[in-house]
Amino acid sequence: MDVLYFAWVRERIGLPKERVETSAATVAELVEELKAREERYAAAFADLSALRVALDQDLAEFDSPLAGVREVAFFPPMTGG
Amino acid sequence: MRVVVQEAPFDFGGEAEAFAKGAAGAGAVVTFTGLVREADGGAMAVMEIEHYPGMTQKALEKIATEAIRRWQLTDALVIHRYGRLAPGDQIMMVATAARHRVAAFEAAEYLMDYLKSRAPFWKKEVLADGAAEWVAAKDVDEDALSRW
């Protein structure tokens, strides 16, 4: 699946998008896999309450299932308007 | 309903005029424009607005559709910019048209509350000396959603 990062999450991890092969069943499991990779991921995902997630461009929760999902995006709380 | 996400400036007067002219059957049109506010301390040179291209249009259309449904609007317009903006620049506008003004005002407030917290935009303030900081979401903006 494609994993996208925005705002300071993108800056902390150092890239806007990457292809990830995973068997994670939920967003939370995917986050644990990413955190185990490298320090920059662990730093970006240190506080999940400061993050939001979208699955296939719809807002979701960290316990949402990943079955059938093609695009996951992680970002801080939005500041539009 | 019209939802526009663009980098270029928009013509607020022209958009408001065209929206009002097209609002046949409505008795009230409300418009709101958001400007880039000067940062505390006054040293902001640029505001960079990042967005999630695949999601932004969809999220805004969902918010506008809900506003139309709840207040039985005859029409709604949302324009939101991204990219590099300067203090005083127009970031976004909404317009609502309804039979009566209470619905038009309330729906415009609803649109603004949801645009702030549920549309995938992120603002970064860049100061004249090059230092930059992401604007943090405010609890008060999240809390504002609970009134709807």
Side-chain angles (χ1 to χ4, degrees):
Chain A
M1 65 180 64
D2 290 321
V3 180
L4 282 66
Y5 309 107
F6 292 96
W8 61 255
V9 185
R10 169 179 55 74
E11 291 180 342
R12 206 159 291 180
I13 291 174
L15 75 177
K17 182 178 179 175
E18 63 183 322
R19 184 102 193 137
V20 173
E21 299 302 328
T22 178
S23 53
T26 63
V27 175
E29 285 183 30
L30 173 64
V31 167
E32 288 309 312
E33 283 184 15
L34 292 170
K35 281 170 78 173
R37 278 182 168 185
E38 281 179 56
E39 173 53 31
R40 59 197 168 106
Y41 289 94
F45 289 109
D47 177 11
L48 290 190
S49 72
L51 292 177
R52 300 291 179 269
V53 60
L55 301 180
D56 289 334
Q57 295 134 26
D58 277 319
L59 287 172
E61 304 295 333
F62 283 90
D63 59 4
S64 298
L66 286 179
V69 170
R70 284 182 301 207
E71 186 173 297
V72 180
F74 294 105
F75 41 79
M78 296 155 273
T79 52
Chain B
M1 176 179 86
R2 196 166 137 249
V3 169
V4 183
V5 182
Q6 65 182 33
E7 187 162 9
F10 55 85
D11 170 13
F12 173 63
E15 293 287 354
E17 183 70 23
F19 183 83
K21 279 202 174 121
V29 167
V30 165
T31 61
F32 172 88
T33 317
L35 309 180
V36 177
R37 190 185 299 113
E38 186 64 74
D40 294 339
M44 186 173 74
V46 172
M47 175 168 275
E48 291 179 1
I49 302 177
E50 179 173 337
H51 78 121
Y52 179 176
M55 178 174 169
T56 315
Q57 183 82 23
K58 205 161 96 170
L60 293 178
E61 284 174 3
K62 192 171 159 190
I63 293 166
T65 300
E66 178 62 10
I68 289 169
R69 187 190 70 78
R70 282 177 71 164
W71 283 276
Q72 300 186 342
L73 302 180
T74 59
D75 199 7
L77 166 68
V78 177
I79 302 177
H80 204 304
R81 296 177 63 194
Y82 60 90
R84 291 169 67 85
L85 281 74
D89 283 356
Q90 295 171 348
I91 301 184
M92 51 79 61
M93 70 171 286
V94 302
T96 56
R99 294 283 294 164
H100 299 284
R101 68 185 156 86
V102 173
F105 272 114
E106 281 188 8
E109 289 228 67
Y110 172 91
L111 285 173
M112 287 311 307
D113 282 349
Y114 271 80
L115 289 181
K116 277 213 165 290
S117 305
R118 292 292 183 272
F121 292 95
W122 300 275
K123 295 182 182 136
K124 187 186 209 178
E125 294 174 352
V126 183
L127 305 184
D129 65 5
E133 193 166 349
W134 290 99
V135 174
K138 297 186 186 73
D139 287 342
V140 62
D141 289 336
E142 187 64 30
D143 293 346
L145 301 186
S146 63
R147 66 176 165 144
W148 307 112

